[in-house]
Amino acid sequence: MVAVALGADHAGWELKEALKAWLIDQGHQVLDFGTHAPDSVDYPDYAAQVAEAVAAGKVDHGVLVCGTGIGMAIAANKMPGVRAAVCGDTFTARVSREHNDVNVLCLGARLTGRDLAREILQIWLDSTFAGDRHARRVGKITALEQRLHANGCR
Ligand code: RB5
C-alpha cells in the first residue's frame, strides 16, 4: 500500500475522482488537493501542491490529471526531485517507473478513458525502478537539477 497525492484541474477532476475511489478501494492512502468541481481553475496551482508533497516525502507518488496531462507535467517538473511524465498507455507507464523512476504520473482526461487510465495507474503503481544503468542516468538528471539550482537556474 502506498500514499498518493492527487490533483486535477476542471478538465481532469472527474477522472481524478474516479481514480481516487479506485485507489481507496485498493487500500491506498490518498491526499486529494482538488479541484472538486467543474469550475475553471489553473492547473499549475494543483501541480505545485502535488509536486511539493512528493518532493517533501509526504507521499510516495503523485497523480495529476488535466485535459492532456501536458501542462501538469511541465509545471510539476519545475519542482526539484520531481520526475513527472504523461502516460497514455500501459507500456509507457511501466517503463516510466522502471527506467525513469517517474514519481508523478500525469494523465490526459480528454484523451484517456476511465478504464485505460485505471489500468495505467495500476501498472504504474505495480512497477518499480530497475536501478543499475538507469540509476546512473537518473542520477545525471538530479545532478543537472542541483547544478542549475545552485547557480540560481542560469
Ligand atoms: C484546460 O482547458 C487545459 O488547457 C488543461 O486541462 C491542460 O490540458 C493543459 O495542459
Side-chain angles (χ1 to χ4, degrees), residues 65-104:
V65 192
C66 64
T68 60
I70 294 171
M72 287 295 198
I74 293 171
N77 277 318
K78 300 295 175 195
M79 184 69 64
V82 164
R83 290 175 296 282
V86 184
C87 297
D89 60 84
T90 55
F91 176 80
T92 310
R94 180 170 61 76
V95 174
S96 79
R97 292 284 306 127
E98 291 177 352
H99 289 200
N100 312 110
D101 203 13
V102 159
N103 51 15
V104 175

mmCIF file of all heavy atoms in Angstrom, residues 65-104:
data_model
loop_
_atom_site.group_PDB
_atom_site.id
_atom_site.type_symbol
_atom_site.label_atom_id
_atom_site.label_comp_id
_atom_site.label_asym_id
_atom_site.label_seq_id
_atom_site.Cartn_x
_atom_site.Cartn_y
_atom_site.Cartn_z
ATOM 1 N N VAL A 65 -4.063 15.141 -13.115
ATOM 2 C CA VAL A 65 -4.930 14.973 -14.287
ATOM 3 C C VAL A 65 -5.374 16.339 -14.803
ATOM 4 O O VAL A 65 -5.920 17.149 -14.043
ATOM 5 C CB VAL A 65 -6.187 14.128 -13.953
ATOM 6 C CG1 VAL A 65 -6.900 13.731 -15.244
ATOM 7 C CG2 VAL A 65 -5.848 12.902 -13.123
ATOM 8 N N CYS A 66 -5.137 16.586 -16.087
ATOM 9 C CA CYS A 66 -5.707 17.764 -16.742
ATOM 10 C C CYS A 66 -6.243 17.293 -18.097
ATOM 11 O O CYS A 66 -6.471 16.105 -18.281
ATOM 12 C CB CYS A 66 -4.699 18.908 -16.844
ATOM 13 S SG CYS A 66 -3.246 18.585 -17.869
ATOM 14 N N GLY A 67 -6.449 18.205 -19.027
ATOM 15 C CA GLY A 67 -7.013 17.792 -20.311
ATOM 16 C C GLY A 67 -6.094 16.853 -21.064
ATOM 17 O O GLY A 67 -6.518 15.813 -21.564
ATOM 18 N N THR A 68 -4.829 17.207 -21.136
ATOM 19 C CA THR A 68 -3.846 16.398 -21.874
ATOM 20 C C THR A 68 -2.789 15.753 -20.974
ATOM 21 O O THR A 68 -2.055 14.876 -21.432
ATOM 22 C CB THR A 68 -3.073 17.287 -22.869
ATOM 23 O OG1 THR A 68 -2.413 18.318 -22.108
ATOM 24 C CG2 THR A 68 -4.007 17.926 -23.892
ATOM 25 N N GLY A 69 -2.640 16.258 -19.767
ATOM 26 C CA GLY A 69 -1.553 15.838 -18.873
ATOM 27 C C GLY A 69 -0.300 16.680 -19.071
ATOM 28 O O GLY A 69 0.593 16.695 -18.212
ATOM 29 N N ILE A 70 -0.242 17.394 -20.198
ATOM 30 C CA ILE A 70 0.996 18.096 -20.558
ATOM 31 C C ILE A 70 1.283 19.276 -19.626
ATOM 32 O O ILE A 70 2.402 19.421 -19.105
ATOM 33 C CB ILE A 70 0.936 18.577 -22.028
ATOM 34 C CG1 ILE A 70 0.904 17.378 -22.970
ATOM 35 C CG2 ILE A 70 2.133 19.477 -22.355
ATOM 36 C CD1 ILE A 70 0.622 17.741 -24.424
ATOM 37 N N GLY A 71 0.287 20.119 -19.408
ATOM 38 C CA GLY A 71 0.501 21.285 -18.538
ATOM 39 C C GLY A 71 0.899 20.859 -17.137
ATOM 40 O O GLY A 71 1.791 21.462 -16.517
ATOM 41 N N MET A 72 0.249 19.819 -16.640
ATOM 42 C CA MET A 72 0.555 19.312 -15.300
ATOM 43 C C MET A 72 2.015 18.836 -15.240
ATOM 44 O O MET A 72 2.732 19.112 -14.271
ATOM 45 C CB MET A 72 -0.373 18.155 -14.939
ATOM 46 C CG MET A 72 -1.791 18.576 -14.629
ATOM 47 S SD MET A 72 -1.870 19.606 -13.134
ATOM 48 C CE MET A 72 -3.626 19.469 -12.745
ATOM 49 N N ALA A 73 2.452 18.130 -16.275
ATOM 50 C CA ALA A 73 3.823 17.598 -16.283
ATOM 51 C C ALA A 73 4.845 18.738 -16.346
ATOM 52 O O ALA A 73 5.844 18.723 -15.619
ATOM 53 C CB ALA A 73 4.010 16.647 -17.458
ATOM 54 N N ILE A 74 4.581 19.717 -17.182
ATOM 55 C CA ILE A 74 5.512 20.851 -17.294
ATOM 56 C C ILE A 74 5.638 21.542 -15.940
ATOM 57 O O ILE A 74 6.750 21.817 -15.472
ATOM 58 C CB ILE A 74 5.036 21.848 -18.375
ATOM 59 C CG1 ILE A 74 5.117 21.221 -19.760
ATOM 60 C CG2 ILE A 74 5.855 23.140 -18.317
ATOM 61 C CD1 ILE A 74 4.450 22.057 -20.865
ATOM 62 N N ALA A 75 4.506 21.803 -15.307
ATOM 63 C CA ALA A 75 4.524 22.510 -14.023
ATOM 64 C C ALA A 75 5.178 21.666 -12.924
ATOM 65 O O ALA A 75 6.041 22.161 -12.181
ATOM 66 C CB ALA A 75 3.103 22.896 -13.630
ATOM 67 N N ALA A 76 4.798 20.403 -12.818
ATOM 68 C CA ALA A 76 5.325 19.539 -11.748
ATOM 69 C C ALA A 76 6.839 19.367 -11.873
ATOM 70 O O ALA A 76 7.554 19.291 -10.863
ATOM 71 C CB ALA A 76 4.627 18.188 -11.769
ATOM 72 N N ASN A 77 7.332 19.315 -13.110
ATOM 73 C CA ASN A 77 8.775 19.108 -13.310
ATOM 74 C C ASN A 77 9.623 20.315 -12.912
ATOM 75 O O ASN A 77 10.857 20.218 -12.920
ATOM 76 C CB ASN A 77 9.051 18.703 -14.759
ATOM 77 C CG ASN A 77 8.849 17.212 -14.971
ATOM 78 O OD1 ASN A 77 9.248 16.404 -14.135
ATOM 79 N ND2 ASN A 77 8.219 16.842 -16.062
ATOM 80 N N LYS A 78 8.984 21.433 -12.557
ATOM 81 C CA LYS A 78 9.748 22.587 -12.041
ATOM 82 C C LYS A 78 10.213 22.347 -10.608
ATOM 83 O O LYS A 78 11.085 23.047 -10.111
ATOM 84 C CB LYS A 78 8.904 23.870 -12.078
ATOM 85 C CG LYS A 78 8.423 24.272 -13.458
ATOM 86 C CD LYS A 78 9.570 24.640 -14.360
ATOM 87 C CE LYS A 78 9.083 24.934 -15.776
ATOM 88 N NZ LYS A 78 10.181 24.939 -16.749
ATOM 89 N N MET A 79 9.585 21.377 -9.955
ATOM 90 C CA MET A 79 9.901 21.111 -8.544
ATOM 91 C C MET A 79 11.108 20.178 -8.451
ATOM 92 O O MET A 79 11.064 19.052 -8.960
ATOM 93 C CB MET A 79 8.680 20.464 -7.882
ATOM 94 C CG MET A 79 8.815 20.211 -6.410
ATOM 95 S SD MET A 79 8.856 21.721 -5.419
ATOM 96 C CE MET A 79 7.219 22.381 -5.729
ATOM 97 N N PRO A 80 12.210 20.611 -7.804
ATOM 98 C CA PRO A 80 13.369 19.733 -7.667
ATOM 99 C C PRO A 80 12.972 18.401 -7.012
ATOM 100 O O PRO A 80 12.222 18.391 -6.034
ATOM 101 C CB PRO A 80 14.320 20.529 -6.770
ATOM 102 C CG PRO A 80 13.933 21.955 -6.989
ATOM 103 C CD PRO A 80 12.439 21.937 -7.193
ATOM 104 N N GLY A 81 13.454 17.326 -7.581
ATOM 105 C CA GLY A 81 13.161 15.999 -7.032
ATOM 106 C C GLY A 81 11.961 15.339 -7.672
ATOM 107 O O GLY A 81 11.729 14.146 -7.458
ATOM 108 N N VAL A 82 11.217 16.112 -8.453
ATOM 109 C CA VAL A 82 10.046 15.530 -9.114
ATOM 110 C C VAL A 82 10.407 15.115 -10.530
ATOM 111 O O VAL A 82 11.073 15.849 -11.260
ATOM 112 C CB VAL A 82 8.856 16.523 -9.120
ATOM 113 C CG1 VAL A 82 7.791 16.114 -10.124
ATOM 114 C CG2 VAL A 82 8.257 16.615 -7.724
ATOM 115 N N ARG A 83 9.969 13.920 -10.903
ATOM 116 C CA ARG A 83 10.084 13.443 -12.280
ATOM 117 C C ARG A 83 8.668 13.070 -12.710
ATOM 118 O O ARG A 83 8.132 12.047 -12.291
ATOM 119 C CB ARG A 83 11.028 12.228 -12.367
ATOM 120 C CG ARG A 83 12.496 12.590 -12.110
ATOM 121 C CD ARG A 83 13.386 11.359 -12.077
ATOM 122 N NE ARG A 83 13.032 10.485 -10.980
ATOM 123 C CZ ARG A 83 13.375 10.689 -9.710
ATOM 124 N NH1 ARG A 83 14.121 11.724 -9.369
ATOM 125 N NH2 ARG A 83 12.984 9.845 -8.757
ATOM 126 N N ALA A 84 8.070 13.979 -13.483
ATOM 127 C CA ALA A 84 6.680 13.796 -13.912
ATOM 128 C C ALA A 84 6.639 13.445 -15.391
ATOM 129 O O ALA A 84 7.427 13.971 -16.177
ATOM 130 C CB ALA A 84 5.885 15.077 -13.662
ATOM 131 N N ALA A 85 5.726 12.562 -15.769
ATOM 132 C CA ALA A 85 5.589 12.186 -17.179
ATOM 133 C C ALA A 85 4.136 11.896 -17.529
ATOM 134 O O ALA A 85 3.392 11.350 -16.708
ATOM 135 C CB ALA A 85 6.439 10.951 -17.479
ATOM 136 N N VAL A 86 3.778 12.276 -18.741
ATOM 137 C CA VAL A 86 2.444 11.946 -19.258
ATOM 138 C C VAL A 86 2.482 10.520 -19.787
ATOM 139 O O VAL A 86 3.352 10.185 -20.600
ATOM 140 C CB VAL A 86 2.040 12.887 -20.420
ATOM 141 C CG1 VAL A 86 0.608 12.587 -20.860
ATOM 142 C CG2 VAL A 86 2.186 14.346 -20.038
ATOM 143 N N CYS A 87 1.563 9.695 -19.345
ATOM 144 C CA CYS A 87 1.477 8.316 -19.842
ATOM 145 C C CYS A 87 0.071 8.068 -20.375
ATOM 146 O O CYS A 87 -0.905 8.214 -19.632
ATOM 147 C CB CYS A 87 1.786 7.320 -18.726
ATOM 148 S SG CYS A 87 3.469 7.455 -18.085
ATOM 149 N N GLY A 88 0.008 7.681 -21.637
ATOM 150 C CA GLY A 88 -1.286 7.414 -22.260
ATOM 151 C C GLY A 88 -1.464 5.956 -22.616
ATOM 152 O O GLY A 88 -2.446 5.572 -23.239
ATOM 153 N N ASP A 89 -0.486 5.135 -22.225
ATOM 154 C CA ASP A 89 -0.588 3.692 -22.496
ATOM 155 C C ASP A 89 0.157 2.941 -21.394
ATOM 156 O O ASP A 89 0.962 3.526 -20.652
ATOM 157 C CB ASP A 89 0.000 3.358 -23.878
ATOM 158 C CG ASP A 89 1.466 3.736 -23.962
ATOM 159 O OD1 ASP A 89 2.303 2.929 -23.534
ATOM 160 O OD2 ASP A 89 1.775 4.855 -24.431
ATOM 161 N N THR A 90 -0.091 1.644 -21.307
ATOM 162 C CA THR A 90 0.456 0.865 -20.192
ATOM 163 C C THR A 90 1.963 0.605 -20.342
ATOM 164 O O THR A 90 2.671 0.503 -19.350
ATOM 165 C CB THR A 90 -0.293 -0.475 -20.043
ATOM 166 O OG1 THR A 90 -0.256 -1.163 -21.295
ATOM 167 C CG2 THR A 90 -1.732 -0.257 -19.622
ATOM 168 N N PHE A 91 2.446 0.530 -21.584
ATOM 169 C CA PHE A 91 3.887 0.321 -21.774
ATOM 170 C C PHE A 91 4.673 1.520 -21.238
ATOM 171 O O PHE A 91 5.640 1.368 -20.479
ATOM 172 C CB PHE A 91 4.207 0.106 -23.270
ATOM 173 C CG PHE A 91 5.691 -0.011 -23.549
ATOM 174 C CD1 PHE A 91 6.368 -1.198 -23.321
ATOM 175 C CD2 PHE A 91 6.415 1.091 -23.998
ATOM 176 C CE1 PHE A 91 7.736 -1.297 -23.555
ATOM 177 C CE2 PHE A 91 7.780 1.002 -24.231
ATOM 178 C CZ PHE A 91 8.449 -0.191 -24.008
ATOM 179 N N THR A 92 4.232 2.707 -21.631
ATOM 180 C CA THR A 92 4.905 3.929 -21.157
ATOM 181 C C THR A 92 4.828 4.023 -19.635
ATOM 182 O O THR A 92 5.798 4.430 -18.983
ATOM 183 C CB THR A 92 4.265 5.176 -21.805
ATOM 184 O OG1 THR A 92 4.182 4.972 -23.208
ATOM 185 C CG2 THR A 92 5.077 6.424 -21.527
ATOM 186 N N ALA A 93 3.672 3.645 -19.087
ATOM 187 C CA ALA A 93 3.503 3.696 -17.629
ATOM 188 C C ALA A 93 4.538 2.805 -16.940
ATOM 189 O O ALA A 93 5.204 3.221 -15.984
ATOM 190 C CB ALA A 93 2.092 3.260 -17.258
ATOM 191 N N ARG A 94 4.697 1.583 -17.439
ATOM 192 C CA ARG A 94 5.642 0.642 -16.817
ATOM 193 C C ARG A 94 7.088 1.124 -16.959
ATOM 194 O O ARG A 94 7.847 1.178 -15.979
ATOM 195 C CB ARG A 94 5.479 -0.754 -17.445
ATOM 196 C CG ARG A 94 6.418 -1.790 -16.866
ATOM 197 C CD ARG A 94 6.069 -3.191 -17.330
ATOM 198 N NE ARG A 94 6.148 -3.381 -18.771
ATOM 199 C CZ ARG A 94 7.289 -3.510 -19.461
ATOM 200 N NH1 ARG A 94 8.451 -3.474 -18.841
ATOM 201 N NH2 ARG A 94 7.273 -3.688 -20.769
ATOM 202 N N VAL A 95 7.438 1.522 -18.176
ATOM 203 C CA VAL A 95 8.825 1.933 -18.427
ATOM 204 C C VAL A 95 9.150 3.260 -17.727
ATOM 205 O O VAL A 95 10.296 3.486 -17.319
ATOM 206 C CB VAL A 95 9.091 1.988 -19.957
ATOM 207 C CG1 VAL A 95 10.462 2.554 -20.250
ATOM 208 C CG2 VAL A 95 8.964 0.590 -20.538
ATOM 209 N N SER A 96 8.164 4.103 -17.545
ATOM 210 C CA SER A 96 8.418 5.380 -16.843
ATOM 211 C C SER A 96 8.862 5.141 -15.401
ATOM 212 O O SER A 96 9.632 5.925 -14.842
ATOM 213 C CB SER A 96 7.176 6.284 -16.874
ATOM 214 O OG SER A 96 6.220 5.874 -15.911
ATOM 215 N N ARG A 97 8.392 4.028 -14.824
ATOM 216 C CA ARG A 97 8.830 3.659 -13.471
ATOM 217 C C ARG A 97 10.176 2.930 -13.547
ATOM 218 O O ARG A 97 11.106 3.255 -12.815
ATOM 219 C CB ARG A 97 7.792 2.747 -12.791
ATOM 220 C CG ARG A 97 6.480 3.398 -12.459
ATOM 221 C CD ARG A 97 6.544 4.308 -11.229
ATOM 222 N NE ARG A 97 7.077 3.625 -10.086
ATOM 223 C CZ ARG A 97 8.107 4.072 -9.360
ATOM 224 N NH1 ARG A 97 8.690 5.205 -9.654
ATOM 225 N NH2 ARG A 97 8.542 3.375 -8.340
ATOM 226 N N GLU A 98 10.254 1.934 -14.433
ATOM 227 C CA GLU A 98 11.447 1.075 -14.478
ATOM 228 C C GLU A 98 12.709 1.838 -14.917
ATOM 229 O O GLU A 98 13.784 1.631 -14.375
ATOM 230 C CB GLU A 98 11.202 -0.094 -15.440
ATOM 231 C CG GLU A 98 10.175 -1.081 -14.917
ATOM 232 C CD GLU A 98 9.854 -2.205 -15.890
ATOM 233 O OE1 GLU A 98 10.314 -2.155 -17.053
ATOM 234 O OE2 GLU A 98 9.124 -3.126 -15.488
ATOM 235 N N HIS A 99 12.562 2.709 -15.904
ATOM 236 C CA HIS A 99 13.740 3.386 -16.457
ATOM 237 C C HIS A 99 13.946 4.800 -15.909
ATOM 238 O O HIS A 99 15.087 5.233 -15.747
ATOM 239 C CB HIS A 99 13.629 3.498 -17.989
ATOM 240 C CG HIS A 99 13.792 2.186 -18.691
ATOM 241 N ND1 HIS A 99 14.124 2.087 -20.016
ATOM 242 C CD2 HIS A 99 13.666 0.907 -18.251
ATOM 243 C CE1 HIS A 99 14.195 0.812 -20.374
ATOM 244 N NE2 HIS A 99 13.906 0.073 -19.309
ATOM 245 N N ASN A 100 12.844 5.522 -15.691
ATOM 246 C CA ASN A 100 12.965 6.950 -15.352
ATOM 247 C C ASN A 100 12.630 7.256 -13.901
ATOM 248 O O ASN A 100 12.727 8.419 -13.492
ATOM 249 C CB ASN A 100 12.054 7.780 -16.274
ATOM 250 C CG ASN A 100 12.202 7.398 -17.734
ATOM 251 O OD1 ASN A 100 11.289 6.814 -18.322
ATOM 252 N ND2 ASN A 100 13.354 7.664 -18.327
ATOM 253 N N ASP A 101 12.217 6.267 -13.153
ATOM 254 C CA ASP A 101 11.838 6.460 -11.751
ATOM 255 C C ASP A 101 10.855 7.628 -11.607
ATOM 256 O O ASP A 101 10.988 8.461 -10.703
ATOM 257 C CB ASP A 101 13.094 6.702 -10.895
ATOM 258 C CG ASP A 101 12.861 6.367 -9.428
ATOM 259 O OD1 ASP A 101 11.841 5.721 -9.114
ATOM 260 O OD2 ASP A 101 13.702 6.773 -8.595
ATOM 261 N N VAL A 102 9.904 7.678 -12.520
ATOM 262 C CA VAL A 102 8.903 8.757 -12.501
ATOM 263 C C VAL A 102 8.099 8.678 -11.202
ATOM 264 O O VAL A 102 7.634 7.605 -10.812
ATOM 265 C CB VAL A 102 8.005 8.657 -13.764
ATOM 266 C CG1 VAL A 102 6.670 9.370 -13.569
ATOM 267 C CG2 VAL A 102 8.750 9.236 -14.962
ATOM 268 N N ASN A 103 7.991 9.801 -10.528
ATOM 269 C CA ASN A 103 7.259 9.806 -9.254
ATOM 270 C C ASN A 103 5.941 10.579 -9.315
ATOM 271 O O ASN A 103 5.213 10.635 -8.320
ATOM 272 C CB ASN A 103 8.142 10.273 -8.086
ATOM 273 C CG ASN A 103 8.859 11.578 -8.366
ATOM 274 O OD1 ASN A 103 8.498 12.297 -9.305
ATOM 275 N ND2 ASN A 103 9.873 11.901 -7.570
ATOM 276 N N VAL A 104 5.665 11.205 -10.464
ATOM 277 C CA VAL A 104 4.356 11.848 -10.651
ATOM 278 C C VAL A 104 3.801 11.429 -12.013
ATOM 279 O O VAL A 104 4.383 11.750 -13.058
ATOM 280 C CB VAL A 104 4.455 13.392 -10.562
ATOM 281 C CG1 VAL A 104 3.105 14.021 -10.873
ATOM 282 C CG2 VAL A 104 4.925 13.831 -9.178
#
